[in-house]
Amino acid sequence: MHHVIIGNGVAGIEAAIALRRRHEDARITLVSEESEHFFSRTALMYILAGQLTHRDTEPYERDLYARMGFTRVRARAIGVDPAARSVRLAGDLAPLSYDRLLIASGSRPRPAPWPGGDLPGIGTFVTHQDLAWLERELHGGPGRGGAAPAADAHLSASTDDSPYRQRPVARTLRGSPPQNPMVIGGGLIGIEVIETMLAAGLKPRFVIREEFFWPMAIDAAESAWIQERLREHGVDVLTATQIERFEGDGAVERAVLDSGQTVPCDLCVVAIGVMPNTDWLADSGIERDPGGGIVVGPDLRSSAPGVYAAGDCASVTWFNGSRRPEQLWYTSRDQGRVAAAAMSGDDVAYKRGHWYNSAKLIDIEYTTAGLVDFGYDDLWSWFHEERGAVRSTTRIVCRPGEGDQARVVGFNMLGRRWDHTVLIRWIAERRSLSWVLDHLSEARFDTELVPPLRIPPEARRAPDAAAR
Amino acid sequence: MYLQGQNGLMATWREGFRSRALSAWIIAALMVGFYIDLYWFDHFQPLAEAVGLRNKWYLYGALYCLFMVGGAVYHLRRHGNSRYNQARIATNVGVQVLLAFLLPFVMPLFGGKEFYFSYFWPLKYDLLLPDTIWQLPLYLAIYGLVGSLLLAPVMAFFFGKRWYCSWVCGCGGLANTYGDPWRHLTSTSTRAWRFEQVAIHVVLGLVVFMTGVMGIKALIGHDHPGFVVFADHTKSFYGFLVGSVLSGVVGTGLYPLLGPRVWCRNFCPMAALLGLVQKLGRFRIAVKDDMCISCGNCSAYCEMGIDVRSYAQSNQSFTRAACVGCGMCAHVCPRGVLRLENRFDAQGDKDKQHIVVLDF
């Protein structure tokens, strides 16, 4: 039995490990263009900042492939022929035939859609190759921890439209470091790049299309709070602002905004989202959703026999019945494991529990759990802001419960650490707001000696009907 | 500056002295040279007398405090937005300056004995030797015995060995202050772990053996002059190898190349002993389920070379004998997955529910 896995990310590698546990002698081949070793993509910003080395970001030791007997192919997969059960590879490589195929090719960054968006000095920050580019723009090269191993090994088996190509560096063309960096896109990757630019001693401009930062996850009050912190750090935050075009002679020099204003810009990181990395499947006949995600059933099987998908490229059914990819680290890991079980013939189903996530926005920790904003119109929030030794906001999302009670359905917490497993248990137990406020300290996960959150009695009262 | 969150670690691998550049080798060479001169030559004696300190060991003590205070400022500028770090570093520096420098310096002025209240056996290996005990006033002899054999292990049982290694001990204190720039250099490799396992327990065995031999010498020395010679040689060999070479020259001198806990991790018998107690005790690092993104910050900034990530990414709360409880893994975690705790209620774990429902 030959298991072929396209992708060396968390879904692919966890599937490979799970397959090896099941099948001691099976042939397992991992095809990946991007990197020599499995790494944590969420840690890219720390390599950029000089906080970690490439090796630090690799969750397993480098002998994993040899120890597990995985064959690793550094090449771009350019197509699948489900009838012949084979994968076409770029370069002069022979097609790979498979018995079971797992597509775990992840996401690719959404490119700059504006005129001039392809000028040197404009790029994204999703891949190892993006990292190498941005290290050269920001710092003139990799840190003393070194560059990624075998960073060029895939170039002989790649294509021009690959997100893993290298690109020209404006700093080199210009001969001087950037002075007016810009980041576009009010989301997580955007704010991570802002943080690394601040650490590099630069004062970036943050261009956000929406009315406030990260409307996907936080509300206007929470966002105002983060934008205040960004401005304290010297970031020029421009909300409700769009780009008209970029201009420059050989490399980017200016950005023209939709207000008509022209601002200097010699480095621009575009962080306006990612999309499933599935263009290469266009002629395969494998069904994809309108966004490009590979449509899979509960067992992560695609429309083609013997072909499965997991991770960012798989369009799964959510708890509320909608269908789209789940672009999260731990769900990709779980999907990889479920796919491996399904590929081994088990009767399995991938089930996602309550929504939860966490992040760090510059120096503000963020935890969310349950229903915070999924389009339900009977939700309202209890909100408390703490300004002391710890600055935090606590938002508890409620729905009408039994009688006069407000039932807690979600949490959005900034500035403190919370145990999401406890928060989710309370949601599942259909706890009331007053009960949750009484017990909130049980969900604390702050480091030791941090003073606990104290909610003053006047703030404890649930808002009256008018305020709802 | 507000508590939690801020990141003082960026640029680590862009600063040469923190990433084994020439400057790091120069600092290491100077420190190694300093220790060799301190232990085996007398160049510092006149200098000590010139500044009014009785001998070179007080000069060393003064320099030690100076490096710790400077390092504490550096540490708190980077990681000071944590109450745990604030309290720990302040206590550690306070203990060192008061109990390990000022008090031993002042006590002889009032006719007392020079005594270091913050060090216990087996780190201070002669504390339990009969030769030492008989020279001590009774209350100090009792303090040394009770502190070494009762207080230290009992505290380690309830709070982990961190109460000593990261709050009180001077070696740990220097590592966490002056050594802070290099905490990411401690090796996480399997080979380093194997070396640690063997080395630290060999030293523990040596100190127990040496202490036993010295005890026997006290009992039978009168009748066996040959054994007296053997016992005294054993003690001076231990003093040379462990007390001077491993704790000073290697353990402190090589911070800029091997990380700041070379001594504590590989050679300190006190750390070995309290580590064994810690394994049985209440201290642990709790892991929040299914929130780890495997970024590697915890493992990279663990000064003891523990692969914290391997536990975090598999949802395993854990206790490792090596852990000195500096708290940095929890502090640097960008997803708030880790927390140090002294567990008095193990029931909480059983109540924990796993979120992701996997049907297999």
Side-chain angles (χ1 to χ4, degrees):
Chain A
M1 186 74 96
H2 188 196
H3 299 278
V4 174
I5 298 171
I6 310 296
N8 193 20
V10 61
I13 207 84
E14 289 298 333
I17 292 171
L19 283 169
R20 177 55 78 220
R21 290 211 174 107
R22 293 287 293 269
H23 313 283
E24 213 172 291
D25 303 320
R27 250 180 92 199
I28 299 173
T29 304
L30 284 147
V31 180
S32 167
E33 189 183 3
E34 182 181 15
S35 66
E36 196 72 358
H37 305 284
F38 165 49
F39 68 95
S40 174
R41 191 174 305 284
T42 49
L44 281 188
M45 67 166 286
Y46 296 111
I47 306 176
L48 176 63
Q51 180 166 331
L52 297 177
T53 65
H54 274 276
R55 193 189 284 266
D56 288 334
T57 67
E58 295 162 12
Y60 299 109
E61 292 196 55
R62 285 184 172 173
D63 63 0
L64 178 80
Y65 300 84
R67 203 155 39 83
M68 291 272 179
F70 299 152
T71 308
R72 178 176 30 182
V73 179
R74 275 292 290 279
R76 180 164 185 75
I78 51 172
V80 175
D81 182 354
R85 293 205 173 216
S86 81
V87 177
R88 291 196 307 281
L89 301 177
D92 297 326
L93 299 172
L96 264 176
S97 61
Y98 62 83
D99 296 299
R100 297 278 182 276
L101 175 68
L102 175 63
I103 301 172
S105 51
S107 293
R108 62 183 294 167
R110 198 178 293 282
W114 309 286
D118 54 355
L119 281 167
I122 301 174
T124 51
F125 188 59
V126 172
T127 66
H128 257 186
Q129 288 70 24
D130 289 339
L131 169 67
W133 163 73
L134 197 48
E135 279 182 324
R136 279 180 289 169
E137 292 281 13
L138 272 184
H139 297 285
R144 296 186 52 88
D152 299 341
H154 63 296
L155 293 178
S156 60
S158 186
T159 59
D160 289 341
D161 63 342
S162 161
Y164 307 108
R165 304 289 295 194
Q166 285 155 343
R167 70 179 85 100
V169 177
R171 181 186 180 129
T172 316
L173 299 170
R174 194 174 49 233
S176 64
Q179 288 176 336
N180 295 293
M182 175 186 281
V183 174
I184 303 173
L188 268 187
I189 296 181
I191 204 164
E192 286 180 359
V193 175
I194 291 281
E195 187 178 0
T196 55
M197 285 176 169
L198 289 171
L202 296 166
K203 299 275 182 257
R205 182 171 278 125
F206 198 6
V207 178
I208 298 167
R209 183 181 59 182
E210 293 81 10
E211 297 295 319
F212 56 88
F213 168 75
W214 214 20
M216 262 181 74
I218 59 181
D219 71 10
E222 290 161 336
S223 194
W225 203 68
I226 292 183
Q227 282 165 215
E228 181 192 317
R229 300 290 283 277
L230 282 169
R231 293 195 169 107
E232 280 172 18
H233 286 288
V235 179
D236 181 16
V237 184
L238 303 177
T239 53
T241 302
Q242 298 206 53
I243 300 291
E244 277 306 316
R245 63 182 180 279
F246 288 104
E247 295 173 350
D249 181 17
V252 64
E253 291 167 18
R254 294 171 298 279
V256 181
L257 309 178
D258 57 355
S259 60
Q261 192 193 354
T262 300
V263 293
C265 169
D266 47 12
L267 169 63
C268 179
V269 176
V270 179
I272 53 174
V274 293
M275 47 198 195
N277 181 20
T278 56
D279 296 349
W280 59 285
L281 295 169
D283 63 355
S284 68
I286 296 172
E287 187 190 351
R288 293 183 294 155
D289 72 12
I294 299 165
V295 173
V296 292
D299 58 354
L300 304 183
R301 194 189 296 260
S302 78
S303 62
V307 180
Y308 299 75
D312 276 17
C313 65
S315 182
V316 296
T317 308
W318 283 47
F319 66 93
N320 56 3
S322 64
R323 170 178 282 291
R324 54 189 159 126
E326 273 185 324
Q327 290 143 335
L328 292 171
W329 180 260
Y330 21 83
T331 55
S332 290
R333 179 200 61 192
D334 292 337
Q335 287 180 23
R337 291 173 184 170
V338 170
M343 291 162 79
S344 305
D346 290 4
D347 183 19
V348 290
Y350 169 73
K351 275 193 205 153
R352 177 76 151 95
H354 287 272
W355 168 264
Y356 68 91
N357 201 5
S358 72
K360 196 165 151 202
L361 313 166
I362 309 270
D363 49 7
I364 303 172
E365 317 220 19
Y366 168 66
T367 305
T368 186
L371 289 179
V372 172
D373 179 21
F374 280 92
Y376 295 87
D377 50 12
D378 59 347
L379 302 183
W380 57 273
S381 295
W382 179 90
F383 183 80
H384 176 67
E385 181 174 347
E386 176 192 21
R387 279 185 189 259
V390 182
R391 296 212 291 184
S392 77
T393 63
T394 304
R395 181 150 72 95
I396 303 178
V397 184
C398 305
R399 291 178 101 165
E402 284 162 31
D404 208 19
Q405 295 277 358
R407 177 162 72 87
V408 171
V409 295
F411 296 86
N412 234 29
M413 319 291 239
L414 287 165
R416 282 181 175 272
R417 294 180 174 184
W418 299 93
D419 187 341
H420 63 288
T421 62
V422 176
L423 302 179
I424 283 171
R425 193 174 69 223
W426 292 343
I427 296 170
E429 290 169 355
R430 306 172 76 89
R431 297 291 184 184
S432 69
L433 176 62
S434 56
W435 190 94
V436 166
L437 288 175
D438 285 341
H439 291 79
L440 203 53
S441 64
E442 292 165 27
R444 283 187 74 201
F445 212 75
D446 290 323
T447 51
E448 289 169 300
L449 306 185
V450 171
L453 173 64
R454 291 204 193 290
I455 299 168
E458 65 274 15
R460 283 182 47 90
R461 278 198 302 272
D464 58 27
R468 290 178 199 177
Chain B
M1 185 187 288
Y2 302 97
L3 292 176
Q4 299 196 10
Q6 157 242 356
N7 189 330
L9 297 164
M10 291 190 167
T12 297
W13 288 96
R14 294 196 177 269
E15 292 175 7
F17 84 103
R18 284 159 77 185
S19 42
R20 298 198 182 109
L22 182 63
S23 48
W25 286 84
I26 291 172
I27 298 170
L30 286 173
M31 290 301 280
V32 167
F34 167 79
Y35 274 101
I36 289 175
D37 196 278
L38 179 72
Y39 287 133
W40 295 295
F41 299 92
D42 270 326
H43 298 114
F44 288 109
Q45 188 62 34
L47 187 61
E49 286 162 13
V51 294
L53 296 165
R54 282 191 291 278
N55 59 49
K56 65 178 180 182
W57 299 109
Y58 285 111
L59 176 67
Y60 176 50
L63 287 172
Y64 205 99
C65 291
L66 207 65
F67 271 57
M68 265 185 76
V69 170
V73 171
Y74 181 88
H75 176 109
L76 292 175
R77 283 174 62 106
R78 295 172 69 199
H79 323 297
N81 61 330
S82 147
R83 277 280 158 88
Y84 185 71
N85 287 344
Q86 291 169 0
R88 188 170 69 81
I89 296 297
T91 308
N92 215 169
V93 171
V95 166
Q96 186 64 26
V97 172
L98 293 175
L99 299 189
F101 178 68
L102 288 180
L103 205 56
F105 185 74
V106 169
M107 278 166 81
L109 298 180
F110 297 94
K113 181 94 184 148
E114 177 191 329
F115 189 82
Y116 294 82
F117 285 92
S118 55
Y119 289 96
F120 301 102
W121 183 91
L123 175 57
K124 185 167 171 50
Y125 55 89
D126 52 2
L127 188 60
L128 291 195
L129 305 184
D131 296 4
T132 313
I133 292 178
W134 288 328
Q135 286 176 22
L136 285 176
L138 183 65
Y139 79 98
L140 290 180
I142 291 173
Y143 178 87
L145 272 167
V146 171
S148 303
L149 299 178
L150 199 67
L151 177 75
V154 167
M155 291 274 283
F157 181 84
F158 286 105
F159 305 106
K161 74 195 214 188
R162 56 178 171 157
W163 87 266
Y164 191 72
C165 299
S166 291
W167 287 73
V168 171
C169 178
C171 311
L174 191 69
N176 273 173
T177 51
Y178 158 69
D180 187 64
W182 303 293
R183 55 164 48 246
H184 58 289
L185 297 180
T186 304
S187 172
T188 318
S189 72
T190 312
R191 217 170 52 164
W193 176 71
R194 290 213 181 97
F195 177 81
E196 165 201 328
Q197 296 293 298
V198 174
I200 197 164
H201 293 114
V202 164
V203 176
L204 179 61
L206 273 180
V207 77
V208 170
F209 176 76
M210 186 272 288
T211 308
V213 163
M214 292 298 283
I216 295 169
K217 176 190 114 171
L219 291 175
I220 64 165
H222 285 301
D223 308 324
H224 300 83
F227 192 84
V228 173
V229 174
F230 168 70
D232 289 343
H233 272 101
T234 306
K235 187 189 163 204
S236 32
F237 170 73
Y238 183 88
F240 166 77
L241 179 71
V242 180
S244 305
V245 176
L246 294 180
S247 80
V249 180
V250 174
T252 309
L254 299 184
Y255 277 9
L257 304 176
L258 299 178
R261 290 277 190 172
V262 181
W263 158 251
C264 314
R265 179 189 186 189
N266 298 296
F267 307 116
C268 175
M270 183 93 180
L273 190 64
L274 297 186
L276 296 176
V277 177
Q278 172 162 285
K279 281 295 272 186
L280 306 170
R282 301 287 173 81
F283 169 77
R284 70 164 186 178
I285 296 180
V287 171
K288 210 153 76 176
D289 280 353
D290 291 310
M291 194 61 103
C292 174
I293 51 169
S294 300
C295 68
N297 276 295
C298 51
S299 295
Y301 287 92
C302 175
E303 55 188 359
M304 295 302 278
I306 297 169
D307 191 1
V308 182
R309 168 174 52 195
S310 65
Y311 299 94
Q313 68 191 3
S314 49
N315 298 338
Q316 253 184 300
S317 297
F318 68 101
T319 306
R320 278 278 295 268
C323 177
V324 289
C326 69
M328 202 58 71
C329 54
H331 184 65
V332 301
C333 176
R335 295 294 182 270
V337 170
L338 304 160
R339 184 174 64 183
L340 277 59
E341 52 187 39
N342 307 310
R343 204 163 27 128
F344 293 98
D345 168 27
Q347 189 56 36
D349 277 355
K350 292 177 193 149
D351 297 343
K352 248 168 116 176
Q353 110 179 4
H354 282 254
I355 297 160
V356 174
V357 188
L358 293 180
D359 276 356
F360 58 81

